[in-house]
């Protein structure tokens, strides 16, 4: 299990690095959007290239952060039910969800996307909009995003199995917001105990 956990840690590090990096694309997209609006209003000029660039940037941010979001346990859950079950039941639900829902979906998407992406790349496909961009980078983002999500799904399966076997400590289900809140509470408690001593 040690080798699988090392693989899982590597996947997690990659997902976190990419997720944090692509977050900056939102700022770039906002600047492109503002610049496009200013040029259109002030100079009465515009191009579909700027609109399509915004789509590419938002798409890259969303798809690049999907694996990071899964790694941080921030995907939507039905907490009303999930939170009431035992931790063992939660782990089983996570494992079955990853094995029966996530992995078949991302496998199917990758199987269908990559031939479509490669056809676009080899043909040099361009947007049908006047002044539009080439299409394969946008399509490539889909393939990369789903590939990263598949890898993160593998990591989550490894971690869940390791927790169920007792090979990895169980921190319980906590979103990153809950982990930050718990850490802040611990620091406040530590600081207050230091001042009382």
């Amino acid at each position: 299990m040690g080798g699988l956990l090392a693989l899982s840690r590597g996947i997690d590090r990659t997902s976190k690095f990419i997720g944090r990096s692509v977050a900056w694309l939102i700022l770039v997209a906002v600047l492109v959007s503002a610049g496009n609006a200013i040029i259109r209003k002030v100079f009465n000029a515009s191009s579909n290239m700027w609109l399509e660039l915004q789509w590419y940037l938002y798409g890259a941010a969303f798809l690049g952060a999907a694996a990071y979001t899964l790694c941080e346990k921030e995907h939507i859950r039905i907490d009303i039910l999930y939170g009431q079950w035992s931790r063992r039941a939660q782990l089983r639900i996570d494992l079955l969800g990853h094995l029966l829902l996530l992995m078949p979906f991302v496998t199917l998407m990758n199987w269908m996307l990559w031939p479509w992406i490669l056809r676009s790349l080899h043909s040099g496909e361009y947007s049908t909009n006047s002044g539009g961009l080439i299409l394969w980078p946008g399509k490539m983002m889909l393939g990369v995003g789903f590939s990263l999500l598949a890898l993160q799904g593998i990591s989550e399966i490894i971690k869940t199995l390791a927790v169920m076997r007792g090979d990895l400590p169980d921190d319980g289900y906590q979103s990153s917001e809950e982990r930050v809140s718990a850490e802040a509470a611990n620091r406040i408690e530590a600081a207050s105990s230091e001042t009382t001593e």
Side-chain angles (χ1 to χ4, degrees):
M1 195 66 162
L4 290 175
L5 285 171
L7 172 66
S8 175
R9 284 190 297 273
I11 292 170
D12 289 353
R13 277 193 303 273
T14 302
S15 293
K16 288 176 183 182
F17 174 77
I18 292 171
R20 290 177 181 141
S21 299
V22 298
W24 288 101
L25 295 179
I26 298 296
L27 174 62
V28 176
V30 168
L31 294 174
V32 167
S33 177
N36 186 33
I38 291 167
I39 290 169
R40 190 173 61 245
K41 296 295 182 187
V42 174
F43 300 107
N44 198 26
S46 186
S47 169
N48 285 325
M49 175 188 73
W50 296 109
L51 295 173
E52 291 182 10
L53 181 59
Q54 290 171 58
W55 300 340
Y56 280 22
L57 292 167
Y58 282 123
F62 177 80
L63 292 163
Y68 173 60
T69 305
L70 181 60
C71 180
E72 292 293 319
K73 296 178 175 44
E74 292 293 336
H75 277 279
I76 296 172
R77 295 174 187 261
I78 305 173
D79 287 334
I80 296 169
L81 301 174
Y82 186 85
Q84 295 177 4
W85 291 327
S86 71
R87 185 62 185 138
R88 192 90 178 144
Q90 289 175 346
L91 290 168
R92 286 182 181 144
I93 290 167
D94 287 345
L95 184 61
L96 289 174
H98 291 124
L99 287 172
L100 301 177
L101 299 173
L102 176 66
M103 294 311 292
F105 174 68
V106 294
T107 301
L108 177 66
M109 291 303 294
N110 278 306
W111 181 67
M112 294 181 74
L113 279 172
W114 283 104
W116 177 67
I117 294 164
L118 294 174
R119 274 194 307 273
S120 180
L121 175 64
H122 293 302
S123 70
E125 184 180 12
Y126 264 84
S127 170
T128 57
N129 296 320
S130 174
L133 299 173
I134 54 174
L135 292 179
W136 68 262
K139 292 180 177 184
M140 183 74 72
M141 284 183 265
L142 284 167
V144 169
F146 278 104
S147 296
L148 290 171
L149 195 54
L151 286 173
Q152 190 59 46
I154 291 168
S155 175
E156 295 303 312
I157 290 167
I158 291 168
K159 289 185 289 189
T160 303
L161 286 171
V163 169
M164 292 174 85
R165 288 174 35 124
D167 295 330
L168 191 67
D170 184 12
D171 61 353
Y173 165 65
Q174 288 185 319
S175 67
S176 62
E177 182 179 314
E178 291 169 326
R179 286 193 302 274
V180 168
S181 296
E183 179 66 26
N186 289 340
R187 287 184 182 190
I188 290 169
E189 184 179 318
S192 66
S193 67
E194 287 176 6
T195 57
T196 57
E197 293 175 355

